[in-house]
Amino acid sequence: MYPSDRYGMPKTDHTKWRLITDIYGKQNWVYDRTGDGPEPTSYVRHQMQNGFNPKELPKPESAHDAASNCFSFLSQLQDDSGIFPCQYGGPMFMLIGYVAAKYFCNVPFSEEEKLEIRRYLVNRAHPVDGGWGLHTYGDSTAFGTSINYVILRLLGMSADHPAMVKARGTLLRLGGAIGAPMWGKVYLSLLNLYKWEGVNPSPPELWMLPYWVPIHPGRWWVHTRAVYLPMSYLSMNKASKELNPLLEAIRSEIYTKPFDQIDFSRHRNTVCGVDLYYPHSKMLNFANATLAMYEKWLRPEWLRKKASKEVVDLVLKDLKNTDWLAIAPVSQALNAMVIFSEFGGDAPEFKRFLDRWPDALYMSPEGMFVCGTNGVQTWDAAFALQYCVMAGLSDKKEFHDALIKGYRFLVNAQFTDNAVEGSYRDIRKGGWGFSTKIQGFTVSDCTAEAIKAIIMVQNVPGLEFLKEDMPVERLQEGVDVLLAIQNWGNFHYGSYASYEQIKGPEILELLNPAEVFGNIMIEYPYVECTDSSILGLHHFTTHFDYRKDDIEKSIKAATDYIIKHQRPDGSWYGSWGVCFTYAGMFAIEALSTQGYTYENSEVIRKGCEFLVQRQEEDGGWAEDFRSCELFSYVRHEKSEVVQTSWATIALLLAGYPEKSVLDKAVKFLMSKQNDDGSYNHNHVEGVFNHSCAIEYPNYKYYFPMKAMGMYAKIYD
Ligand code: LAN
């Protein structure tokens, strides 16, 4: 765990923080300066380690009791809005967008956020070298260390503070900020701490190509196009903050040479070795060199103006579609700088950001940070509700209130309108996203898991009245969205990607300019997304008579895809969770709904053997995050409850015959549970783009509850 008070950094009064939510699951941490605000909820007391008194629970005598205690604890953390808030941390490159945007746009920081962001970064610095990595579980990099050092300086830390001296030492040892990857160079240029001529081009003209051209950005992965759209405007117009004495001082601290002696144009491709996960292809280097010449000598002024207008129009559409949230904080911050540059700080188009920025800011005992998204609301609620039912706990009246609240949140989280014309978006009406309705981006597996959760809760005896809130037509719309985004191309036939169908050719990855992430240019087929989609469609079709043939065809193709993509050793690679254990659980669960079992299927047998061979002495599983980077199973130093639950669930659903394996696993899960039903910190659970770790802190409740509850149903 992280320390919460390194260097005795000054802090706010932690008893004054409140989490304010609305029925759409918006989460805003607010500092109650006057003391007139609401009482802190039990989640806030728990999160801020400030007077949370968990309910006393009977000592579990069975796996069923332990599962019940788990949900009992979890329901105490549920917010009245129905969501299960949690600290969605891990990535260490999120704060820079927020801080740079506010600084760039002359928006003052509150005293509280200054104090707490500073504390967060100081507390999260690498314990040995004082730098920062791409994520909290990684080694210090030039990217993490340069941007977070700059944040601390902008927020008033003195260059002489011992934490800064240490971080600077590490940054300079890594070669200085010159070795920051492209995104780092962009933030530094916006802050006038680097020169745009040293940043590889991101030409907005690409948006003006006809859509049929395979490299049109409208065909890229939603996140990549959302980031490169505003970035292209800022880079083409060389947007940067006016120089001031503080920036001049920082310029002199982050490089190994005096700023004025650096020829930035020669450093477009300089990336520190530790940072580099995805090196440039020759094709990208050639394209960059040509484009850099074009930008310097050839781009006509009329085209610059036209391209700027095109980008601003698209940014405005993105903002309207998401009520100024944008898909995630990275693009939100860049969008804000575009709008500020174009319309100024008094324009209503800019002012709306001031209300929306706080949505991704999160408060923790170690300080304040920016999450990877504006939360995990829909995804987590869908798991919590489903697994309460699947664990056999939903007949307990004491849990009905939590189920009803969560259900109502999920109902409110469904998209009820489409994105505006011309924003390169598919239909979304009927779908669900990962976080909230306002964010507005359909995710395949989130839609499927939400549909499944809603149907499950509607069918809990005594809760049938909830059907009124969610007429069947609305569930059908969800199914329509899901069926519409399945892939039917030759190589991905039957699969599901994350947000949309795959629209661009894989060769586009050769132009991936990000250096620190893999597989970001286009959508890819994901085993887990395909698995969840099967689960959602299967559950729906067992309850409703709607588009039966289409659903059957879809499930069949998705099932074939999963079977075909099992690796020779019996595993599946997981892209969003750690890693083979995560994907193994989803794959086996999906296949089990289609009648595949250990007894009748070689695929399942191999899948189970892969897992069973990796069970640890103590009965648990211990897969490490490094598996995701290296594409091969890496052991963590100790067993963890989340990985153990994933493997246990897979084996239970497969009908794995050797009970002793499962007994040991469940014993492990029960032994790790605290008396109040909770679990302690679990090593990182999630990942994205192969290289960045991201935490899902509530997985340590959902999955053990499901594993222990299902075990009890079969064996107790
Ligand atoms: C997420 C989080 C959830 C995740 C699942 C639902 C688990 C997955 O099955 C589908 C993909 C999705 C929705 C997902 C996509 C990428 C996200 C949004 C993130 C990992 C959270 C943060 C990340 C985002 C891309 C971070 C910003 C970084 C960039 C490279 C733009």
Side-chain angles (χ1 to χ4, degrees):
M1 277 304 286
Y2 293 93
S4 62
D5 271 317
R6 270 205 198 137
Y7 295 103
M9 296 284 291
K11 57 174 170 184
T12 57
D13 176 352
H14 280 195
T15 63
K16 293 197 164 170
W17 287 96
R18 303 287 182 270
L19 183 64
I20 308 296
T21 54
D22 69 9
I23 59 161
Y24 296 114
K26 170 165 115 160
Q27 306 175 140
N28 283 169
W29 282 93
V30 174
Y31 192 69
D32 182 16
R33 273 182 217 124
T34 53
D36 306 334
E39 281 295 299
T41 59
S42 34
Y43 171 73
V44 169
R45 289 185 194 280
H46 167 72
Q47 166 71 0
M48 296 311 294
Q49 297 167 2
N50 163 40
F52 172 62
N53 271 324
K55 258 196 231 145
E56 272 192 35
L57 299 171
K59 203 171 164 38
E61 282 173 8
S62 63
H64 176 83
D65 294 350
S68 173
N69 282 0
C70 207
F71 195 70
S72 187
F73 184 82
L74 188 60
S75 60
Q76 295 170 63
L77 303 188
Q78 187 183 28
D79 183 79
D80 274 345
S81 62
I83 65 170
F84 296 86
C86 70
Q87 183 176 328
Y88 191 38
M92 286 307 289
F93 62 97
M94 298 293 169
L95 264 170
I96 183 66
Y98 176 71
V99 173
K102 272 191 132 175
Y103 194 76
F104 183 96
C105 307
N106 309 319
V107 180
F109 292 89
S110 73
E111 238 1 85
E112 293 86 23
E113 69 181 346
K114 263 199 230 165
L115 285 180
E116 294 295 349
I117 292 175
R118 291 198 308 228
R119 280 187 63 244
Y120 182 80
L121 288 179
V122 170
N123 286 330
R124 292 273 159 142
H126 191 282
V128 178
D129 64 27
W132 297 268
L134 183 67
H135 53 89
T136 41
Y137 297 84
D139 294 336
S140 298
T141 60
F143 185 28
T145 309
S146 57
I147 56 179
N148 291 311
Y149 180 90
V150 167
I151 295 176
L152 286 173
R153 291 289 281 126
L154 295 179
L155 296 186
M157 288 273 283
S158 137
D160 303 328
H161 188 285
M164 301 301 277
V165 173
K166 197 167 167 193
R168 194 163 62 241
T170 294
L171 179 59
L172 298 179
R173 250 192 324 278
L174 291 168
I178 204 80
M182 181 185 186
W183 291 16
K185 291 182 158 87
V186 166
Y187 290 121
L188 295 174
S189 304
L190 287 164
L191 293 167
N192 214 337
L193 300 170
Y194 190 89
K195 296 247 162 112
W196 278 111
E197 67 226 42
V199 185
N200 275 317
S202 23
E205 285 91 341
L206 288 178
W207 285 96
M208 294 156 77
L209 293 170
Y211 186 70
W212 57 260
V213 177
I215 61 164
H216 188 284
R219 299 174 174 280
W220 299 358
W221 189 41
V222 272
H223 281 282
T224 306
R225 67 181 192 240
V227 168
Y228 281 91
L229 175 74
M231 206 181 255
S232 70
Y233 172 101
L234 297 166
S235 135
M236 176 173 67
N237 294 315
K238 299 195 169 10
S240 59
K241 178 84 184 160
E242 63 280 12
L243 200 57
N244 61 35
L246 174 61
L247 295 177
E248 271 185 275
I250 304 175
R251 278 179 168 194
S252 72
E253 295 158 23
I254 59 176
Y255 296 103
T256 52
K257 272 203 214 168
F259 190 84
D260 296 333
Q261 288 172 25
I262 302 173
D263 178 357
F264 287 92
S265 68
R266 299 183 47 191
H267 289 285
R268 284 189 291 110
N269 298 324
T270 307
V271 184
C272 174
V274 206
D275 288 63
L276 197 58
Y277 178 75
Y278 197 88
H280 290 185
S281 64
K282 288 209 176 79
M283 186 155 116
L284 178 64
N285 281 340
F286 175 75
N288 278 336
T290 318
L291 283 167
M293 301 273 279
Y294 159 79
E295 292 199 335
K296 191 156 180 204
W297 307 108
L298 297 174
R299 178 186 275 141
E301 182 55 17
W302 66 266
L303 191 55
R304 194 193 61 78
K305 282 205 181 122
K306 194 156 184 256
S308 280
K309 183 171 175 314
E310 177 79 23
V311 172
V312 172
D313 282 353
L314 283 170
V315 166
L316 282 171
K317 283 182 179 159
D318 185 29
L319 296 174
K320 283 187 190 131
N321 289 332
T322 59
D323 194 7
W324 270 251
L325 253 181
I327 187 167
V330 179
S331 50
Q332 186 195 37
L334 295 168
N335 282 347
M337 291 186 261
V338 170
I339 296 297
F340 178 82
S341 306
E342 191 70 17
F343 301 106
D346 291 327
E349 289 88 343
F350 177 74
K351 288 246 154 95
R352 186 78 189 125
F353 282 111
L354 305 183
D355 300 324
R356 276 294 169 206
W357 271 335
D359 289 15
L361 274 175
Y362 216 83
M363 187 56 196
S364 77
E366 303 89 51
M368 182 166 242
F369 69 103
V370 171
C371 301
T373 59
N374 65 320
V376 297
Q377 297 86 329
T378 300
W379 183 242
D380 271 39
F383 282 156
L385 303 193
Q386 279 185 48
Y387 300 166
C388 172
V389 178
M390 291 173 83
L393 304 171
S394 56
D395 52 353
K396 298 196 173 201
K397 289 269 179 312
E398 71 213 72
F399 292 151
H400 281 192
D401 186 41
L403 289 176
I404 295 171
K405 281 198 292 197
Y407 176 91
R408 296 217 157 112
F409 163 71
L410 281 183
V411 167
N412 283 328
Q414 188 182 27
F415 304 144
T416 48
D417 64 358
N418 280 317
V420 297
E421 251 334 277
S423 40
Y424 298 97
R425 298 281 303 278
D426 298 331
I427 53 152
R428 69 173 179 194
K429 184 163 181 257
W432 276 266
F434 174 63
S435 56
T436 58
K437 175 179 181 174
I438 305 298
Q439 187 259 6
F441 277 82
T442 307
V443 182
S444 60
D445 50 4
C446 301
T447 300
E449 298 287 354
I451 291 176
K452 194 170 163 222
I454 286 175
I455 300 173
M456 277 192 177
V457 177
Q458 286 182 341
N459 287 291
V460 168
L463 297 184
E464 295 87 351
F465 67 93
L466 289 174
K467 286 185 184 157
E468 261 175 44
D469 297 359
M470 189 71 182
V472 61
E473 295 73 35
R474 284 183 58 186
L475 285 171
Q476 291 171 353
E477 282 180 351
V479 167
D480 291 342
V481 168
L482 208 49
L483 290 175
I485 57 177
Q486 190 165 17
N487 294 308
W488 297 110
N490 282 346
F491 301 115
H492 341 282
Y493 194 84
S495 68
Y496 275 87
S498 54
Y499 295 81
E500 295 179 337
Q501 276 183 321
I502 299 167
K503 295 178 175 172
E506 211 163 306
I507 192 172
L508 253 178
E509 209 58 48
L510 291 176
L511 298 179
N512 173 354
E515 292 136 354
V516 289
F517 306 115
N519 283 18
I520 61 161
M521 291 306 289
I522 53 165
E523 275 284 8
Y524 287 88
Y526 294 110
V527 182
E528 309 99 293
C529 299
T530 311
D531 299 326
S532 285
S533 300
I534 294 181
L535 295 177
L537 290 172
H538 171 77
H539 202 74
F540 174 85
T541 206
T542 53
H543 284 82
F544 300 100
D545 196 7
Y546 175 71
R547 295 185 66 181
K548 283 263 182 217
D549 293 345
D550 296 334
I551 295 178
E552 199 182 308
K553 177 178 167 213
S554 158
I555 294 183
K556 167 86 180 65
T559 307
D560 290 347
Y561 177 85
I562 296 165
I563 293 175
K564 211 161 126 200
H565 286 79
Q566 186 178 34
R567 303 179 6 144
D569 63 4
S571 68
W572 287 268
Y573 175 82
S575 298
W576 307 108
V578 175
C579 173
F580 298 99
T581 322
Y582 180 73
M585 171 195 64
F586 273 110
I588 291 177
E589 178 157 15
L591 294 177
S592 76
T593 66
Q594 301 310 302
Y596 294 78
T597 63
Y598 188 87
E599 209 175 76
N600 68 18
S601 153
E602 180 61 18
V603 173
I604 301 277
R605 273 196 293 277
K606 277 170 70 183
C608 290
E609 290 316 329
F610 176 88
L611 293 171
V612 172
Q613 281 158 14
R614 283 158 185 80
Q615 188 174 29
E616 303 286 330
E617 283 283 287
D618 59 7
W621 270 262
E623 188 175 4
D624 192 80
F625 163 75
R626 302 269 300 158
S627 294
C628 311
E629 292 177 322
L630 302 174
F631 294 83
S632 127
Y633 191 97
V634 180
R635 270 181 78 193
H636 183 57
E637 67 209 22
K638 63 177 182 44
S639 301
E640 296 285 356
V641 295
V642 172
Q643 266 79 18
T644 305
S645 307
W646 290 338
T648 308
I649 292 165
L651 297 173
L652 285 168
L653 288 166
Y656 186 72
E658 240 178 87
K659 181 165 177 281
S660 60
V661 168
L662 293 154
D663 289 345
K664 262 173 86 177
V666 169
K667 215 165 148 199
F668 174 83
L669 291 177
M670 289 178 68
S671 73
K672 293 285 161 191
Q673 190 175 33
N674 301 320
D675 291 347
D676 59 9
S678 69
Y679 279 99
N680 296 343
H681 179 78
N682 187 92
H683 195 70
V684 65
E685 301 84 0
V687 60
F688 59 89
N689 305 128
H690 305 301
S691 57
C692 193
I694 189 157
E695 293 167 343
Y696 291 82
N698 285 351
Y699 279 9
K700 64 178 178 285
Y701 303 118
Y702 311 139
F703 292 102
M705 165 170 84
K706 179 173 174 183
M708 295 187 295
M710 283 187 353
Y711 170 91
K713 274 184 168 175
I714 300 174
Y715 294 114
D716 271 359

